[in-house]
Amino acid sequence: MATNNDVAESPEVLLVFPPLVESSFGSFYPSTAVLAAWLSKHGIAAAQRDLNTEFAEYLITEACLARLGAGEVPGVRYESLVASCARWARRERTRLTDTDGVRLFGRATQVGYVVEELAHPFVIDPDDEALASITSLRRAAHPLDTHAAFLEWAECDNAIPASVRLVGVSVPMGPQLVPALLLAQTLKAARPDVRVVLGGPALSLMDIPALDELLANHRAVDAVVRFDGEYPLLALAKQVRTGEWDPARTPGTSALRDGVAQHRPPTAGPALNTLPAPEYPPAAIARLAVPKLSVTQARGCYWGKCDYCDFVELYDGSPPYRGRRADAVLADFEQLMSRYGTREFTLITESIPPAFARRLSQLIIDRDLGITWDSFAMVDRRFDRELLELMVKAGCRYLVIGMETMTTRVLELVHKSSDREENQRFLREAREAGMKLSVNLIPDLPSTTYQEALRSLSDIADMVDCLDSVSIFPFEPTRSSNIGRSPARFGLIPVLDTSADSQAQYTLNHMSSVDPAMTSEERVDVHARFRAFARSVNLPAKIRAGGTKRRPVGDHIGFGTTIRLAVEDLDLIEVGGEIVCTHIIGQERIVIPEAAANVLRPYLGGQQFSVGGLVQQIGSSAAEALLSNLVEAQIVTECSGTPSDADPTRKLSLSDVFSAE
């Protein structure tokens, strides 16, 4: 199979991004590009490989889709959304990749979530057992067997350039940990002379006893880098070059020495304004449908006070916040534009500071760059309408906002910078400025009551016209956050059970607790209500994103209007005489009762039929009920032609059609 790795001439280092981060499908995660540029600046050539996106390509092979669609993968039922997506993907493969291998999926596309859904059965949430040996983990064949099959499909055992002596594996997210350990074993078996080093936030947030166990049980891992990776990786690469391998003496590194784990505390990371522009692998970038490249704005958060956040723990040894100058970021934009021809960027930041946003926006306008960009941001009174308008003028397409809740008491408890009124002000002024917002909400932050959650939902729903999209995240306390360290201060009761389902998909860092502010039933209800609200906001955005061209049925149709089932967007299966219809684009599912299914069965392949014919076949009342439901669920589409027996001149409203036979 074709891989997406770019091999520098005689590289000494191979940098790998392993599965599984569904949110990065269709894009290129920047960690290896940043490290490759740093090594290159110091005279060390590095190749890169994005196994995460290759895993997405593996998922849409015929063999994988067939197993998923048939419900033959453990945990995937034939009637499930995963199976529906797999069956649809087999039929509509050209909507996921083109003939040149360009990936048409990713979060910026209408069908991007489909591949994310296909990945869900293969996510491995690393708990304490993940620290055991790979041999022990393989006793539970699924889903690690799929990851092993993927590594074989991707030919990882013989794809290391001969000149490489060190492999760096970037592990930002918890679900990558076990696949990274399996990858280390695979690489070591193929090339025992290669040193394998793991690093990234998932390792930086791991406590020392867990690191001890990992190093003891996974001998294919020669070292672990924690916190800023530039200086430790460079030092390890030089050790390999000179043959003086002793990682335990390198600051910021954990490794075994004489069978005992040694942990060296980190020194300060590099000054960010001295970092070179990231070096993205050209062949991998060429296969992206929308090549949007990432540029570092800061490490750490300029606010840094939110008690539920542990990202501020990632840079031990350095100041908690390090920001770059606007002119340095602009220089990266210009260099990447020249090198790759792209004009779409995203800023790597926990939250863009208002003053920086103003300076960067003005520089972009002054240079007339003609780019688009996006960023994370927080609700901050300094983001007023004037600044937001300036950012829009400078090409800022949208901001991702961690708003979390509209309940002032809870916002103050967890030390957010805003309150209900400030959130409302920000939303209004963003709308007036033309700034698109993707808002993240956490319905059950610590001590939130059922009534407070519902009021918060009502408040945000009242401002729905200010939102472009909404994401819902159930709250999860992590051990490395302020809440995890002092749960009682936030109304949480710690419990010993560590088997809780982990939204963060990193059970090793999960702190099991009980929040008595809501009952379990209330919490389930709140999450369901918030998710329903998010779907109502996000569905129109998905439809606006494009996709197969078709004509939705409007309010005014007549007996002669020709319609069909929009099968290009649907998965249709029969279960017990009923038809289960899944709208792949809208992520909605309806069950068509047996009587209606009998009527629609001749048209399940997309054949055309007229409204008048439907009325004549089953009567006006039944036709009105059936067609109204199909129109509302966007399951039918209007055709450009009309049947020969129709009367195209008779144009009536839907209600008129069914008022008389």
Side-chain angles (χ1 to χ4, degrees), residues 184 237 412 564 614:
E412 291 176 348
R564 64 176 177 82
L614 189 66

Side-chain angles (χ1 to χ4, degrees), residues 352 357-358 360-362 364-365 370-374 383-399 426 429-437:
I352 184 173
R358 186 180 300 278
L360 180 65
S361 296
Q362 193 60 59
I364 292 171
I365 293 169
I371 64 172
T372 60
W373 54 282
D374 58 76
F383 280 116
D384 56 17
R385 177 174 175 176
E386 181 268 332
L387 175 53
L388 292 166
E389 287 176 344
L390 184 72
M391 295 168 68
V392 170
K393 184 178 179 181
C396 183
R397 294 179 60 216
Y398 66 89
L399 294 173
F426 178 86
E429 296 198 3
R431 178 192 60 203
E432 293 164 1
M435 176 66 76
K436 293 183 178 180
L437 299 179

Side-chain angles (χ1 to χ4, degrees), residues 300-496:
C301 177
Y302 77 91
W303 176 249
K305 299 178 183 179
C306 299
D307 293 296
Y308 55 87
C309 179
D310 50 19
F311 293 154
V312 295
E313 311 288 333
L314 292 177
Y315 305 108
D316 196 8
S318 296
Y321 176 75
R322 289 168 288 159
R324 297 181 71 197
R325 297 191 312 271
D327 63 323
V329 171
L330 190 83
D332 281 2
F333 285 162
E334 292 176 327
Q335 187 169 341
L336 294 174
M337 288 167 60
S338 174
R339 188 183 300 167
Y340 303 104
T342 185
R343 290 183 174 273
E344 296 196 33
F345 300 95
T346 188
L347 292 180
I348 305 173
T349 182
E350 300 302 331
S351 185
I352 184 173
F356 175 90
R358 186 180 300 278
R359 289 193 295 272
L360 180 65
S361 296
Q362 193 60 59
L363 283 173
I364 292 171
I365 293 169
D366 292 345
R367 300 280 185 91
D368 193 23
L369 287 191
I371 64 172
T372 60
W373 54 282
D374 58 76
S375 176
F376 278 88
M378 61 186 291
V379 176
D380 187 315
R381 59 181 176 78
R382 292 169 293 178
F383 280 116
D384 56 17
R385 177 174 175 176
E386 181 268 332
L387 175 53
L388 292 166
E389 287 176 344
L390 184 72
M391 295 168 68
V392 170
K393 184 178 179 181
C396 183
R397 294 179 60 216
Y398 66 89
L399 294 173
V400 180
I401 307 296
M403 187 165 290
E404 324 306 10
T405 182
M406 298 291 276
T407 304
T408 295
R409 181 192 65 79
V410 176
L411 290 168
E412 291 176 348
L413 175 68
V414 298
H415 293 103
K416 289 288 288 184
S417 67
S418 62
D419 57 17
R420 174 179 180 270
E421 288 69 27
E422 185 60 27
N423 284 344
Q424 292 172 324
R425 190 277 313 166
F426 178 86
L427 291 173
R428 284 193 300 268
E429 296 198 3
R431 178 192 60 203
E432 293 164 1
M435 176 66 76
K436 293 183 178 180
L437 299 179
S438 178
V439 173
N440 296 337
L441 299 174
I442 304 178
D444 56 340
L445 278 171
S447 80
T448 303
T449 67
Y450 181 69
Q451 291 74 21
E452 285 175 328
L454 295 187
R455 283 197 298 270
S456 178
L457 178 58
S458 177
D459 282 344
I460 197 74
D462 287 343
M463 307 193 74
V464 67
D465 59 335
C466 303
L467 310 175
D468 191 65
S469 65
V470 175
S471 296
I472 308 301
F473 299 94
F475 174 69
E476 179 186 2
T478 57
R479 299 176 187 177
S480 51
S481 67
N482 283 341
I483 289 177
R485 286 188 283 265
S486 304
R489 187 155 60 91
F490 300 91
L492 302 183
I493 304 171
V495 297
L496 294 177

Side-chain angles (χ1 to χ4, degrees), residues 573-641:
I573 59 172
E574 293 198 42
V575 179
E578 299 176 326
I579 297 175
V580 178
C581 175
T582 304
H583 196 297
I584 299 297
I585 306 303
Q587 303 179 51
E588 297 285 350
R589 172 169 287 187
I590 66 169
V591 176
I592 300 174
E594 186 172 2
N598 291 334
V599 174
L600 293 177
R601 193 165 284 108
Y603 311 112
L604 296 184
Q607 296 86 344
Q608 300 180 9
F609 58 98
S610 71
V611 172
L614 189 66
V615 171
Q616 293 170 3
Q617 181 181 358
I618 63 175
S620 62
S621 297
E624 178 180 14
L626 176 59
L627 189 55
S628 295
N629 288 333
L630 295 178
V631 169
E632 182 179 358
Q634 303 183 65
I635 290 173
V636 292
T637 179
E638 188 174 353
C639 304
S640 56

